[in-house]
C-alpha cells in the first residue's frame, strides 16, 4: 500500500458493491463457478464445509460472492446469509435427474422467504457437457421457472469445469442490477 | 530493493565469499554444509540451495538430469543406488574432492540427494494419484471405499453401497463418489491410511466429529485436509517435515503420515477453538494452516506425532 494507491482510491468513483449468494444442492458446481469468477484453477475443488467467499470486479461492480455448502446438513444455515442479498444465484446439476425434485423444493423454499423477496434470480443449468444433461430450457420448464412472476429471473446454460457460460450469467446479473 | 540486493549478492558477493572460504578452509561449499550443518532439514535445505545456485556447468546438468528422473518417477529402488552414486561421483570430480579422505562427505551428500529428489518425485506421485478420479466401475476403488467404512465403523454393517449411513462418517449424501472431486483417489487413500494405520486416533477424531455441538463432517473435512497437505507439499513448505522424518527414499506412505498428522492436529485445534458451528470451518482451517506454516518454517521443527500417546 503506497501513497499512489491511496490517491487512486480517493480520486476514483466509489464502486458499487453487490452481494451475490450462490446456493444449490451439493455437487451442483457452486465452488467451481466461484473459482471461475475469480479466475482460479478449478481442477482441485473440494466439497465445501461451511462457506467460501470471494470478491471479484465485474462491469464496474465489486461482486462479493458467497458460496455456501449445499449438503443437507448445511442447508439450515443458508438463511443466515440471506440479508441484503442483491442477486440469488442458484446452481443446478442438469444431469442429476434423480435429485431434480429435491433441488426444485429447495429453490421454491428460498423464493418464498421474506428476506429474498424481489431479489433477482439467476439459475445456472450446469454440467451441460454431460451426455444425460437437460438443456437450459428443459430445465427451466422442469423447475417451473416461467411461473415466477414476482422477480426478474434468468436461466443460463454453463459448463463450469470448462468455464463456458459462467460469464454470460454474470452479464445478466450486472444488467439486472443496473435496471433496478 | 530486496530483489536487487539478492541479485547483487548471488552474482558478485556469493562467489567471492565462496572463493575466500574455499581457500581458507580447503573445503567446497557442499563439504562445508555436509560437515558443519546438522543432519535433517537444515542440511538438506542448505545443500539444495547450494546446488540450485551453482553456476558450474556440470552441476547444472546434474540438477537438470535428476529433476527429469524425479519428474518421470524413475528414482526407484532398482535405479536408486546407481543414480546416487552417479550424483556423488560427479560432485567429487567437479569439486576435485578426494573420495578416500572425504568418504564421509560422499555418504552425507548422497543422503541429501536422496531426500531432495525423493521429495520432488513424491510431488509427482501424489499429483498422479490426485488426478485419478474415483470410479465406481473400478473394483479396487470400490473395495477401498468399503474398507474405509470397515475401519471407521467396525461395529456397524453397511446396508448398501448407496446409503444414508455414509453421512455418519461425514460424507455429504448417500453416495460418497462425488465427494472426492478434485482430490480424486488421493482423498480416499489419505482417509483410508489414517483410518487403518492410526486406528485408535482416527476413532478418537471420528468421535469428536460426531459431537452434537462441536461436530463436523469427518470425511468432507478430511478431503479438505488432503487439499491442504497437497498444497503444502507442492509449494515446498512441507520439506521440513519430510527432510526431518524420512530416513530413506520418501514414499507415498510418508505423505499419508503427514496427512494423518494434519488431521489429528486439526481436530485438536477445532476442539480447542470451540467453533459455533460448521460454518466456521474456513476460518478455523485458515488459522490452522497459518500455524502449520509457521511451524514448518522452523527447520528444526519436530513433527513426531503424539498420536500414539493418546489412548481413547
Amino acid at each position: 500500500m503506497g501513497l499512489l494507491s491511496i490517491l487512486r482510491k480517493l480520486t476514483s468513483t466509489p464502486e458499487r458493491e453487490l452481494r451475490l449468494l450462490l446456493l444449490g444442492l451439493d455437487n451442483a458446481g457452486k465452488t467451481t463457478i466461484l473459482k471461475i469468477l475469480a479466475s482460479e484453477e478449478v481442477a482441485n475443488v473440494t466439497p465445501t464445509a461451511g462457506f467460501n467467499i470471494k470478491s471479484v470486479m465485474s462491469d464496474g461492480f465489486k461482486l462479493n460472492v458467497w458460496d455456501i455448502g449445499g449438503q443437507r446438513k448445511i442447508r439450515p444455515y443458508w438463511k443466515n446469509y440471506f440479508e441484503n442479498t442483491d442477486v440469488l444465484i442458484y446452481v443446478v446439476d442438469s444431469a442429476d435427474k434423480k435429485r431434480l425434485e429435491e433441488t426444485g423444493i429447495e429453490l421454491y423454499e428460498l423464493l418464498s422467504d421474506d428476506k429474498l423477496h424481489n431479489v433477482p434470480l439467476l439459475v445456472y443449468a450446469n454440467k451441460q457437457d454431460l451426455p444425460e444433461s437437460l438443456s437450459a430450457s428443459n430445465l427451466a420448464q422442469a423447475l417451473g421457472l416461467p411461473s415466477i412472476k414476482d422477480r426478474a429471473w434468468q436461466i443460463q446454460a454453463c459448463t463450469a469445469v470448462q468455464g463456458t457460460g459462467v460469464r454470460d450469467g454474470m452479464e445478466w446479473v450486472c444488467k439486472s442490477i443496473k435496471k433496478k | 530493493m530486496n530483489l536487487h540486493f539478492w541479485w547483487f549478492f548471488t552474482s558478485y558477493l556469493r562467489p567471492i565469499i565462496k572463493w575466500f572460504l574455499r581457500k581458507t578452509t580447503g573445503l567446497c561449499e557442499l563439504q562445508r554444509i555436509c560437515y558443519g550443518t546438522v543432519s535433517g532439514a537444515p542440511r538438506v535445505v542448505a545443500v539444495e540451495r547450494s546446488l540450485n545456485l551453482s553456476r558450474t556447468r556440470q552441476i547444472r546438468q546434474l540438477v537438470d538430469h535428476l529433476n527429469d528422473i524425479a519428474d518421470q518417477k524413475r528414482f526407484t529402488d532398482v535405479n536408486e543406488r546407481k543414480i546416487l552414486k552417479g550424483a556423488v561421483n560427479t560432485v567429487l570430480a567437479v569439486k576435485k574432492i578426494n573420495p578416500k579422505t572425504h568418504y564421509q562427505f560422499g555418504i552425507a551428500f548422497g543422503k541429501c540427494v536422496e531426500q531432495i529428489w525423493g521429495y520432488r518425485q513424491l510431488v509427482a506421485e501424489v499429483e498422479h494419484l490426485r488426478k485419478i478420479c474415483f470410479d465406481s466401475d473400478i473394483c479396487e476403488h470400490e473395495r477401498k471405499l468399503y474398507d474405509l467404512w470397515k475401519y471407521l465403523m467396525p461395529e456397524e454393517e453397511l446396508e448398501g453401497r448407496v446409503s444414508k449411513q455414509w453421512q455418519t462418517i461425514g460424507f455429504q449424501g448417500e453416495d460418497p463418489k462425488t465427494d472426492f472431486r478434485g482430490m480424486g483417489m488421493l482423498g480416499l487413500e489419505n482417509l483410508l491410511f489414517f483410518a487403518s494405520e492410526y486406528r485408535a486416533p482416527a476413532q478418537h477424531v471420528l468421535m469428536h466429529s460426531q459431537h452434537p455441538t462441536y461436530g463436523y463432517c469427518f470425511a468432507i473435512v478430511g478431503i479438505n485436509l488432503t487439499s491442504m497437505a497437497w498444497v503444502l507439499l507442492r509449494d515446498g513448505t512441507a520439506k521440513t517435515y519430510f527432510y526431518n522424518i524420512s530416513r530413506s527414499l520418501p514414499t507415498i506412505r510418508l505423505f499419508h503420515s503427514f496427512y494423518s498428522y494434519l488431521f489429528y492436529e486439526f481436530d485438536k485445534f477445532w476442539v480447542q477453538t470451540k467453533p459455533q458451528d460448521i460454518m466456521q470451518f474456513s476460518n478455523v482451517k485458515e488459522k490452522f494452516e497459518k500455524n502449520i506454516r509457521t511451524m514448518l518454517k522452523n527447520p528444526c521443527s519436530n513433527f513426531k506425532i503424539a498420536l500414539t500417546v493418546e489412548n481413547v
Side-chain angles (χ1 to χ4, degrees):
Chain A
M1 272 292 269
L3 185 63
L4 196 67
S5 57
I6 294 170
L7 274 176
R8 209 175 284 147
K9 264 199 174 158
L10 286 174
T11 49
S12 68
T13 49
E15 70 235 356
R16 196 172 154 202
E17 279 196 44
L18 292 183
R19 181 185 167 96
L20 309 186
L21 194 54
L22 261 175
L23 296 176
L25 303 189
D26 51 282
N27 201 39
K30 299 176 290 298
T31 307
T32 307
I33 288 178
L34 181 74
K35 292 210 164 194
I36 289 288
L37 289 175
S39 309
E40 286 176 17
E41 204 186 329
V42 294
N44 51 13
V45 167
T46 54
T48 306
F51 66 91
N52 304 302
I53 176 171
K54 289 193 193 298
S55 295
V56 279
M57 291 300 297
S58 174
D59 215 357
F61 289 109
K62 185 182 176 199
L63 308 176
N64 297 316
V65 191
W66 293 72
D67 156 35
I68 323 284
Q71 70 174 110
R72 209 175 264 281
K73 256 192 204 154
I74 292 182
R75 287 179 217 161
Y77 296 103
W78 282 3
K79 59 178 187 304
N80 301 349
Y81 299 84
F82 289 171
E83 207 93 45
N84 300 322
T85 295
D86 292 294
V87 177
L88 172 64
I89 302 172
Y90 197 75
V91 186
V92 180
D93 174 350
S94 315
D96 189 2
K97 289 177 189 150
K98 265 193 235 158
R99 294 202 295 167
L100 201 58
E101 196 189 334
E102 187 182 341
T103 197
I105 293 170
E106 294 292 349
L107 173 61
Y108 283 97
E109 183 117 339
L110 292 170
L111 297 183
S112 65
D113 196 287
D114 280 346
K115 284 183 189 151
L116 293 175
H117 186 65
N118 279 341
V119 170
L121 168 72
L122 169 67
V123 177
Y124 274 118
N126 192 21
K127 309 199 186 180
Q128 289 296 316
D129 58 323
L130 298 183
E132 328 82 280
S133 65
L134 285 175
S135 69
S137 55
N138 284 343
L139 185 69
Q141 287 299 333
L143 291 173
L145 299 184
S147 65
I148 299 175
K149 305 286 183 221
D150 61 344
R151 71 189 74 221
W153 67 269
Q154 168 85 358
I155 189 150
Q156 173 66 49
C158 75
T159 305
V161 283
Q162 295 165 6
T164 50
V166 176
R167 303 229 168 249
D168 303 292
M170 277 304 131
E171 270 169 34
W172 179 84
V173 165
C174 294
K175 241 188 268 168
S176 71
I177 288 299
K178 279 178 189 157
K179 261 191 219 156
K180 253 185 158 181
Chain B
M1 270 139 303
N2 255 332
L3 215 66
H4 280 139
F5 174 74
W6 183 243
W7 175 81
F8 178 72
F9 177 77
T10 50
S11 319
Y12 295 104
L13 278 179
R14 207 179 104 88
I16 294 169
I17 296 168
K18 270 175 69 182
W19 176 84
F20 179 75
L21 286 173
R22 167 136 216 183
K23 289 293 157 203
T24 48
T25 61
L27 300 168
C28 77
E29 186 180 48
L30 288 171
Q31 282 173 297
R32 294 195 303 271
I33 295 167
C34 287
Y35 292 145
T37 316
V38 286
S39 63
R43 185 188 292 170
V44 184
V45 167
V47 166
E48 190 173 10
R49 191 182 303 130
S50 168
L51 287 174
N52 283 331
L53 285 174
S54 174
R55 287 189 294 187
T56 317
R57 193 174 50 87
Q58 294 98 316
I59 298 285
R60 291 245 44 86
Q61 279 172 345
L62 174 69
V63 168
D64 290 343
H65 172 65
L66 291 170
N67 283 349
D68 277 348
I69 289 175
D71 292 344
Q72 292 166 18
K73 294 179 277 180
R74 285 194 289 122
F75 196 16
T76 49
D77 303 334
V78 201
N79 292 331
E80 197 196 338
R81 282 182 71 98
K82 216 173 73 192
I83 293 164
L84 288 180
K85 209 172 160 202
V88 171
N89 285 343
T90 307
V91 170
L92 290 178
V94 172
K95 300 290 177 191
K96 298 188 186 71
I97 299 167
N98 183 344
K100 285 208 180 91
T101 45
H102 289 287
Y103 73 97
Q104 275 173 321
F105 166 76
I107 296 168
F109 178 72
K111 280 196 172 138
C112 291
V113 171
E114 183 181 46
Q115 289 312 314
I116 296 165
W117 279 278
Y119 184 93
R120 192 176 169 114
Q121 174 164 270
L122 188 61
V123 174
E125 265 174 64
V126 165
E127 183 63 359
H128 172 75
L129 204 51
R130 185 187 72 81
K131 282 187 173 157
I132 301 175
C133 289
F134 180 87
D135 185 346
S136 300
D137 293 332
I138 298 175
C139 289
E140 194 203 346
H141 294 188
E142 286 285 298
R143 185 181 54 75
K144 282 182 173 158
L145 191 59
Y146 280 118
D147 283 351
L148 178 65
W149 177 267
K150 262 196 318 215
Y151 282 115
L152 287 175
M153 304 289 288
E155 312 277 298
E156 198 178 317
E157 196 73 35
L158 192 63
E159 280 153 18
R161 168 62 180 78
V162 176
S163 158
K164 280 212 165 101
Q165 286 168 294
W166 289 112
Q167 292 171 12
T168 47
I169 57 169
F171 285 102
Q172 295 199 99
E174 294 172 9
D175 188 349
K177 76 172 178 205
T178 56
D179 286 341
F180 296 109
R181 309 225 176 130
M183 290 302 122
M185 283 304 284
L186 184 65
L188 177 54
E189 300 263 6
N190 269 171
L191 282 169
L192 185 57
F193 185 91
F194 183 46
S196 60
E197 303 278 326
Y198 294 104
R199 280 200 203 186
Q203 288 295 331
H204 180 73
V205 170
L206 180 66
M207 200 179 68
H208 280 168
S209 80
Q210 292 163 341
H211 189 277
T213 347
Y214 305 122
Y216 54 85
C217 311
F218 180 87
I220 296 308
V221 164
I223 292 165
N224 278 283
L225 291 173
T226 292
S227 169
M228 187 193 292
W230 171 68
V231 169
L232 291 172
L233 181 82
R234 204 172 58 153
D235 71 14
T237 313
K239 278 177 183 172
T240 322
Y241 177 90
F242 289 87
Y243 290 170
N244 274 336
I245 284 191
S246 180
R247 290 283 162 269
S248 53
L249 199 63
T251 63
I252 194 86
R253 284 180 67 83
L254 200 59
F255 178 73
H256 293 322
S257 300
F258 176 56
Y259 168 81
S260 303
Y261 170 82
L262 286 181
F263 206 158
Y264 190 75
E265 288 297 315
F266 176 81
D267 173 73
K268 230 167 37 184
F269 186 70
W270 177 271
V271 173
Q272 277 165 10
T273 319
K274 289 197 179 15
Q276 211 182 352
D277 49 48
I278 183 69
M279 301 317 276
Q280 310 304 314
F281 177 74
S282 324
N283 269 332
V284 176
K285 194 194 91 168
E286 228 165 81
K287 277 188 203 139
F288 174 70
E289 186 173 339
K290 222 176 120 193
N291 291 352
I292 292 288
R293 281 184 185 275
T294 313
M295 272 178 83
L296 286 167
K297 265 204 191 112
N298 176 4
C300 301
S301 268
N302 207 332
F303 290 88
K304 277 284 183 292
I305 308 179
L307 281 169
T308 42
V309 181
E310 195 152 351
N311 250 323
V312 197

